[in-house]
Amino acid sequence: MVYAEVVRMITFTSESLVSVCENINVLRSVNLFGGLVVLPFIVQGLCDREKPQFWAVNIVAMPLLFTYYFLFYTDIWASILIVASLALVVRQPFGFITSSYFSGIVAFASLWFRQTNIIWIAFIASLLIDKRRREHHKDMGFLQNTVNFIRQAVLDWIAILPFIINILLFAIFVKYNEGITFGDKENHKLNLHIVQVFYCLTFIAMFTWPVWLSIRLIKRYIWFTILGNHGLNTVFTIGSWIFIKFIIDNYTVVHPFLLADNRHYTFYIWKRILNQEYSNIFMIPIYHFCTWNIIDSLSLNTSGLTPITIITFIGGIFITIIPSPLFEPRYYIVPLIIYRLYVRPSKEKLIGISMSRHILEFAWLIFVDVTIMVIFLGYEFTWLSEPGKIQRIIW
């Protein structure tokens, strides 16, 4: 209502407040304002000014976000509020305790847009605890760091109380709602969709390749998969590939919506790539590389996530998307943003070419965004079941 009143004042319209609220363009502008004004303001505060690990404009231009700036979907503000909650914990602009309570309040607001944000609220709490652990303890190996992490959580229970309250309130909601889904529970039943993790990591790697790709990275991957430990890594790699094949064969869920709804890119990805003969073979090395690359690039960024918070981040991806039976890239938005916030561009030349990683990333993201918009605006079709109603392709 407040936003609608501001719009009415700016546009000097004589329409009633109710009419303004019902205007589809006003509703869509809420996301446009959030994406182009609020989000860059928040993420800029997380950027290292002397050695920027990202450009705010590149976070804003992420293709999984870009389309929804012009539509009335919940994903934009669900993501903005989670990033704001994270920023309050990382920067602590109001002091340790006050910032954590503001973070908890903002995180609670995000749950009204997307219920699975509860997992990212737990991740943000782990960031807070680990930040305090590093302030009070030296790094002493993973096991001792984990012990100190648990101790710090107990000592700082007042600071993490807002996050605990969020989790408790969410548990009560799930109890009385008989699930986490509003509305159509029949088509959103939980499944063990483990291969969805590989979809997510592949999307992240695809959209961020200008940040990490280099000859040295490829050499490092070859060493990891084949040459390391006097060739013993080859045995480990073969075992990993067999395990990935097992997951593809036994934990791939094909939701009826995926097969029936040709308005989404996932329909075409499934039809033309993932459902092809031998796709369960040729996707194995892709999934393996993307999984290794995401973890490797995070672990190399020593000023960002630690092994503990890398585990909570990957765990957050698992818990968020494995239960979902639907192949849905919108579920990957928050993991993609968090990954990009914490990964610094490689200092190495890109396959022998010296080029600014930020500029290349910007060019790549804009290319994808423009392509998506051209397809969305230029390709129209109708369904036999809904004659005369224009359909368009979106994520």
Side-chain angles (χ1 to χ4, degrees), residues 229-256:
N229 294 321
H230 306 288
L232 288 177
N233 280 16
T234 304
V235 177
F236 175 76
T237 298
I238 292 172
S240 300
W241 285 20
I242 293 172
F243 183 61
I244 293 172
K245 176 70 163 57
F246 174 79
I247 291 174
I248 295 172
D249 291 342
N250 294 277
Y251 296 101
T252 297
V253 178
V254 184
H255 196 283

Side-chain angles (χ1 to χ4, degrees), residues 3 28-40 69 77 80:
Y3 181 81
R28 289 171 176 169
S29 73
V30 173
N31 279 348
L32 189 63
F33 173 76
L36 300 186
V37 178
V38 180
L39 182 59
Y69 295 150
W77 282 96
I80 289 172

Side-chain angles (χ1 to χ4, degrees), residues 151-375:
R151 287 175 178 170
Q152 201 63 51
V154 174
L155 291 173
D156 289 330
W157 68 271
I158 293 179
I160 63 174
L161 185 59
F163 304 98
I164 295 173
I165 292 173
N166 270 317
I167 293 171
L168 292 175
L169 290 175
F170 183 78
I172 294 171
F173 159 75
V174 171
K175 169 70 174 177
Y176 283 93
N177 189 56
E178 298 181 348
I180 67 172
T181 306
F182 282 122
D184 187 10
K185 294 184 177 66
E186 184 64 27
N187 286 307
H188 291 84
K189 293 180 179 178
L190 301 184
N191 289 89
L192 202 59
H193 194 184
I194 301 178
V195 78
Q196 178 109 251
V197 172
F198 297 129
Y199 298 160
C200 177
L201 298 180
T202 302
F203 265 77
I204 292 175
M206 177 181 68
F207 288 130
T208 60
W209 68 263
V211 175
W212 50 260
L213 183 60
S214 69
I215 291 293
R216 185 173 296 181
L217 176 133
I218 294 172
K219 290 180 178 178
R220 194 162 65 247
Y221 178 66
I222 292 173
W223 180 265
F224 173 80
T225 54
I226 301 173
L227 303 176
N229 294 321
H230 306 288
L232 288 177
N233 280 16
T234 304
V235 177
F236 175 76
T237 298
I238 292 172
S240 300
W241 285 20
I242 293 172
F243 183 61
I244 293 172
K245 176 70 163 57
F246 174 79
I247 291 174
I248 295 172
D249 291 342
N250 294 277
Y251 296 101
T252 297
V253 178
V254 184
H255 196 283
F257 288 178
L258 176 63
L259 301 176
D261 197 340
N262 63 343
R263 297 172 301 176
H264 299 278
Y265 284 103
T266 49
F267 172 87
Y268 302 97
I269 293 172
W270 174 260
K271 181 180 178 181
R272 298 179 182 179
I273 300 176
L274 300 178
N275 198 37
Q276 294 298 309
E277 188 177 8
Y278 303 121
S279 68
N280 61 344
I281 301 296
F282 69 72
M283 290 304 297
I284 291 173
I286 295 174
Y287 292 156
H288 185 270
F289 170 77
C290 292
T291 302
W292 171 84
N293 180 47
I294 299 302
I295 297 173
D296 177 73
S297 54
L298 286 172
S299 63
L300 291 176
N301 186 26
T302 55
S303 62
L305 300 183
T306 67
I308 292 174
T309 48
I310 290 174
I311 289 173
T312 58
F313 172 66
I314 299 298
I317 293 176
F318 272 67
I319 298 171
T320 302
I321 64 180
I322 283 179
S324 172
L326 189 60
F327 178 13
E328 178 54 85
R330 288 186 297 135
Y331 300 159
Y332 315 153
I333 292 174
V334 172
L336 173 62
I337 293 175
I338 292 175
Y339 173 81
R340 188 59 195 91
L341 290 175
Y342 279 98
V343 171
R344 290 185 179 275
S346 173
K347 296 179 181 179
E348 302 158 11
K349 289 184 178 180
L350 177 69
I351 320 214
I353 302 172
S354 181
M355 179 182 290
S356 167
R357 297 287 182 151
H358 295 303
I359 293 175
L360 181 61
E361 181 184 25
F362 177 77
W364 163 242
L365 295 176
I366 293 301
F367 169 76
V368 177
D369 289 340
V370 170
T371 302
I372 289 170
M373 290 306 294
V374 168
I375 293 172

Side-chain angles (χ1 to χ4, degrees), residues 54-74:
F54 60 84
W55 283 357
V57 67
N58 288 350
I59 300 295
V60 173
M62 286 295 176
L64 294 183
L65 280 170
F66 182 78
T67 310
Y68 300 107
Y69 295 150
F70 311 99
L71 301 171
F72 192 56
Y73 270 66
T74 59

